[in-house]
Structure formats: structure tokens, C-alpha cells
């Protein structure tokens, strides 16, 4: 998903989202296009989660379950993925 332009919400939009329990359906009076506004709280990463994931990574390392990174290969794969995304393939 690509990032979209973010603009501040109007007081009316915020009131509609609040009244709708985190959801509002709005219509542009000129174009009659409908917009859905959804309040979303991204998950937070707390210290316990970070510690757990670091412990998992250390366990992988201790088992020898890792591979060296080839930066050129990673860059190449990223370029391929971006090219496919841009061409829609």
C-alpha cells in the first residue's frame, strides 16, 4: 500500500468519527464521491515484545541458524521487486 497525502481532519469529520465509534462515511457534496474514515491505532511495540524477539534471534544465532548478508544481492532483489510493482506484474 502506498502512502497517501495526509491532511488534517475537519472538526466535523472528527465529530462524525467519534459519534460513529471510530467510523464515519462522508460524501463530497460536489462530486458525490463517498469516503470512509476509520480510526486506527497502530500496535505499539513494548519492551517485553522487543526482549522476546531479541531472545528468539539470539537463540537462532546460538543454533547457527543464520546466513551472512550479501548486500548486492539484497539490493538487486529490492530493485526487481520495485520494478515488478511499478509495472503491475
Amino acid at each position: 500500500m502506498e502512502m497517501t497525502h495526509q491532511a488534517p481532519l475537519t472538526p466535523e469529520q472528527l465529530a462524525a468519527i467519534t459519534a460513529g465509534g471510530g467510523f464515519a462515511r462522508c460524501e463530497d457534496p460536489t462530486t458525490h464521491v463517498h469516503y470512509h474514515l476509520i480510526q486506527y491505532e497502530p500496535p505499539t511495540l513494548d519492551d517485553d515484545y522487543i526482549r522476546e524477539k531479541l531472545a528468539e534471534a539470539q537463540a537462532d544465532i546460538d543454533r547457527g541458524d543464520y546466513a551472512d548478508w550479501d548486500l548486492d544481492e539484497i539490493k538487486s532483489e529490492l530493485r526487481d521487486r520495485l520494478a515488478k510493482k511499478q509495472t503491475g506484474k
Side-chain angles (χ1 to χ4, degrees), residues 24-86:
R25 181 178 173 272
C26 304
E27 180 180 345
D28 182 330
T30 305
T31 63
H32 301 288
V33 172
H34 294 140
Y35 297 91
H36 298 269
L37 304 176
I38 302 168
Q39 184 177 5
Y40 170 75
E41 294 292 330
T44 57
L45 303 176
D46 62 12
D47 290 346
D48 290 336
Y49 177 82
I50 299 296
R51 284 186 188 95
E52 177 185 331
K53 295 305 172 186
L54 288 172
E56 289 175 13
Q58 186 62 55
D60 288 343
I61 291 168
D62 292 345
R63 282 193 312 274
D65 190 12
Y66 64 91
D68 292 332
W69 288 17
D70 180 341
L71 189 55
D72 291 331
E73 183 180 330
I74 292 169
K75 288 179 179 179
S76 176
E77 183 177 336
L78 179 58
R79 280 192 282 275
D80 291 346
R81 286 184 184 190
L82 289 173
K84 287 178 183 176
K85 184 176 181 180
Q86 290 173 349

